[in-house]
Amino acid sequence: MATRRRTEPEAPASPRRRATTPEGRENQLITLAVDLAEQQLRRGTASAQVSSHYLKLGSTREHLEQQRLEHENELLKAKTGALAATSRIEELIANAITAMRSYTGQEVPPDGDHYED
């Protein structure tokens, strides 16, 4: 007598409203794909590609790669902030030079023209 595999009852698909933005729709489809992969893994019907994908996600290497990417993003944000600060400093210096010229009685150039060496 063969034993029958116990199967999980399928949850009824809850009718979800379709997302109104492309990003929202993409997220809905990703969620559906992950749910399907989970069902396949639980039933033992997942392909080797699906299984290896989730095995890789749990690896130490993957965690280190995710940390590296997070740090790179933080570095890019810091560089962007530094560039913005540099631009602001240059503007302040140009304004200070213009103000000093006006204090000494020199002719002040019209807006947009800054003192250059």
Side-chain angles (χ1 to χ4, degrees):
M1 184 166 145
T3 58
R4 189 171 182 188
R5 285 182 92 175
R6 194 175 115 191
T7 59
E8 294 181 16
E10 299 228 2
S14 59
R16 294 181 189 164
R17 222 178 79 200
R18 189 172 179 167
T20 57
T21 64
E23 294 84 10
R25 186 68 179 139
E26 184 177 354
N27 287 335
Q28 283 180 334
L29 295 174
I30 290 169
T31 300
L32 288 173
V34 170
D35 290 347
L36 177 61
E38 181 182 3
Q39 285 177 357
Q40 291 174 348
L41 287 167
R42 289 185 187 282
R43 291 182 184 151
T45 60
S47 68
Q49 291 168 323
V50 171
S51 297
S52 64
H53 170 74
Y54 285 100
L55 283 171
K56 286 179 184 176
L57 285 180
S59 71
T60 304
R61 180 182 179 142
E62 179 66 21
H63 290 289
L64 291 173
E65 181 69 17
Q66 290 299 321
Q67 284 179 343
R68 184 183 66 79
L69 290 173
E70 288 173 12
H71 290 291
E72 283 180 6
N73 284 340
E74 290 172 10
L75 179 62
L76 287 173
K77 287 177 186 176
K79 285 181 179 180
T80 303
L83 286 173
T86 300
S87 297
R88 178 71 180 134
I89 289 171
E90 288 173 357
E91 181 183 338
L92 289 172
I93 290 172
N95 290 342
I97 290 171
T98 302
M100 287 180 201
R101 280 185 174 173
S102 68
Y103 295 150
T104 61
Q106 294 181 12
E107 186 176 321
V108 178
D111 286 344
D113 293 340
H114 298 289
Y115 174 77
E116 293 188 18
D117 294 300

